[in-house]
């Protein structure tokens, strides 16, 4: 096998691999000899099948394996001899003329094929001693804890039937059957039976619940209400609907007591213990938000420290993933780029920059992790797997087996752990100042993001961190 480099331009490399006909013949005979001891062919004793006969029967299929092995060997040789780190799997191109390939498959002619690949860029890790970050921290107030416990008590209070003929009041729970129509025609999702509705809870569209105040069990009412302009189902948004409602039961709420008995209902010894648990839970939510903001600030700082050539294929791959999400979001909401105040051309440019940032930061974090020899233990992966399994009650065994049999799925669990460990490592190198803030200030940006719509919100979400949700670093940056 002869390997010759034919192109070295930026991060692109190309090589030509040559296999002489006699080498193809030798490799084929070697494979057939191995097959000879295993083949069971009628008319021949085991191990006594002539190689020539095997070649006649299986020559082409065995030669296909020979060529695949040769490709794998060539790729390995290219990487090792040139000390390369690949961005993606090499692309192999065989001769376009079928006759050339056919002769090679018969080991009657030399075979040449090209290997094109992209390598990872090399860069020095930046000095972060001049980077200063602010970590926003908030502690749950007594008021926030009390409000949370009040909501818990309200959601768990009991209801008792009102006296026969009693009219419903705000706060009561009514059980209803209903059929909704728009312009006299029933619409999808507009029908329900035995639905419990707490009047004043805001569960139904505006104006619906208010028209049931004063209703009695067994009473029929016609409720007219208009769907909000921004309603999720586009076909219903802004439409006026008429509902035929039958009230089958009216129940009054029981007294809401916030005491030790309430705490015991939640598995706590006392109300004080319940308050401690609620405060800890809220504090955990605050800390998670604080971490998200700090990580965003860190990644923004890192992004200003690095500028190097990116593997085009990696950027294209990342952009395709982001763009697919954008298009799906628009399709789901039945919107266009024009509806979002932009054009497809401008959106494409915006998301390509986001893809480039994600790839760049992924490469940086990967090199930081490699240089610092950061590892993810099997125990850490198992803990992540257990947490994932618990998200699917009743399907635990299927989910466990899926991950255990799927290396790529396990890698997707490992990658976020690796990323967070690298982030912790980098945070230890910068100046970090804690700033106490209110809950409102801590969640301010998130509230603004939630208020925004569609493509612009998706862009913000995608650009916020290197990983989003369960999607970890770009493939090149995943932990080994």
């Amino acid at each position: 096998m002869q390997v010759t480099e034919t192109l070295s331009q930026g991060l692109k490399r190309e090589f030509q691999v040559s296999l002489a006909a006699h080498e193809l013949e030798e490799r084929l005979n070697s494979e057939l000899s191995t097959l000879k001891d295993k083949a069971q062919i009628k008319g021949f004793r085991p191990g006594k099948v002539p190689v020539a006969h095997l070649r006649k029967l299986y020559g082409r299929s065995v030669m296909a394996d020979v060529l695949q092995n040769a490709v794998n060997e060539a790729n390995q040789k290219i990487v090792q001899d040139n000390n390369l780190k690949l961005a993606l799997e090499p692309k192999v191109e065989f001769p376009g003329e079928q006759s050339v390939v056919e002769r090679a498959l018969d080991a009657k002619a030399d075979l040449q094929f090209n290997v094109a690949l992209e390598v990872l860029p090399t860069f020095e890790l930046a000095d972060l001693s001049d980077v200063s970050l602010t970590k926003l921290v908030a502690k749950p107030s007594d008021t926030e804890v009390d409000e949370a416990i009040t909501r818990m008590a309200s959601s768990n209070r009991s209801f008792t039937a009102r006296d026969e003929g009693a009219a419903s009041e705000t706060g009561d729970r009514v059980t209803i059957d209903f059929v909704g129509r728009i312009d006299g025609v029933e619409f999808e999702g507009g029908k329900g039976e035995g639905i419990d509705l707490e009047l004043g809870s805001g569960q139904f569209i505006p104006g619906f619940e208010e028209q049931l105040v004063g209703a009695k069990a067994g009473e029929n009412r016609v409720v007219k209400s208009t769907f909000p302009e921004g309603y999720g189902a586009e076909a219903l948004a802004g439409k006026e609907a008429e509902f035929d409602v039958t009230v089958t039961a009216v129940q009054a709420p029981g007294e809401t007591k916030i005491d030790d008995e309430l705490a015991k209902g939640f598995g706590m010894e006392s109300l004080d213990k319940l308050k401690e648990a609620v405060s800890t839970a809220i504090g955990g939510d605050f800390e998670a938000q604080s971490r998200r903001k700090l990580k965003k600030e860190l990644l923004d700082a890192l992004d200003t420290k690095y500028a190097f050539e990116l593997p085009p294929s990696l950027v294209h791959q990342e952009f395709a993933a982001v763009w697919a999400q954008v298009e799906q979001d628009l399709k789901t909401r039945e919107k266009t780029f024009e509806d979002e105040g932009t054009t497809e051309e401008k959106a494409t440019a915006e998301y390509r920059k986001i893809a480039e940032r994600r790839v760049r930061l992924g490469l940086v974090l990967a090199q930081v992790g490699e240089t610092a020899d950061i590892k993810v233990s099997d125990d850490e992966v198992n803990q992540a797997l257990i947490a994932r399994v618990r998200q699917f009650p009743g399907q635990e065994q299927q989910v466990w087996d899926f991950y255990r049999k799927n290396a790529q799925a396990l890698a997707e669990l490992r990658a976020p752990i690796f990323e967070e460990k690298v982030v912790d490592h980098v945070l230890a190198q910068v100046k970090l100042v804690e700033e106490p803030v209110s809950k409102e200030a801590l969640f301010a940006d998130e509230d603004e993001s939630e208020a925004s719509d569609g493509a612009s919100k998706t862009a913000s979400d995608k650009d916020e961190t290197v990983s989003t949700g369960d999607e970890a670093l770009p493939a090149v940056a995943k932990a080994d």
Side-chain angles (χ1 to χ4, degrees), residues 300-342:
D300 287 344
L302 288 177
D303 198 35
T304 65
K305 290 282 187 177
Y306 294 93
F308 48 80
E309 184 179 3
L310 301 174
S313 293
L314 275 184
V315 174
H316 176 76
Q317 184 182 72
E318 190 65 25
F319 170 77
V322 175
W323 190 252
Q325 180 177 335
V326 172
E327 291 187 317
Q328 181 59 47
D329 175 67
L330 291 174
K331 181 179 179 181
T332 300
R333 296 184 301 108
E334 299 182 355
K335 297 290 184 179
T336 65
F337 289 106
E338 286 70 23
D339 293 332
E340 301 299 324
T342 186

Side-chain angles (χ1 to χ4, degrees), residues 32 35 39-44 48-59:
L32 290 173
L35 180 62
Q40 294 184 357
I41 299 177
K42 188 175 181 179
F44 296 94
K48 299 299 182 180
V49 184
V51 172
H53 187 63
L54 287 174
R55 181 166 184 166
K56 181 179 179 180
L57 294 176
Y58 307 117

Side-chain angles (χ1 to χ4, degrees), residues 197 237 421 429:
L197 174 62
K421 295 178 82 167
Q429 302 175 43

Side-chain angles (χ1 to χ4, degrees), residues 181-199:
R181 298 179 178 85
I182 294 178
D183 296 330
V185 180
E186 292 186 21
F187 57 89
E188 185 177 355
K191 187 176 184 178
E193 294 183 358
I195 305 300
D196 289 332
L197 174 62
E198 187 173 333
L199 301 181

Side-chain angles (χ1 to χ4, degrees), residues 16 59 84 159 194 269 286-287 312 319-320 346 368 405 415 422:
Q16 185 180 75
L84 302 177
F159 285 82
E269 297 177 4
F286 287 3
E287 176 59 29
F319 170 77
K346 290 180 180 179
V368 170
K405 296 176 182 177
V422 172

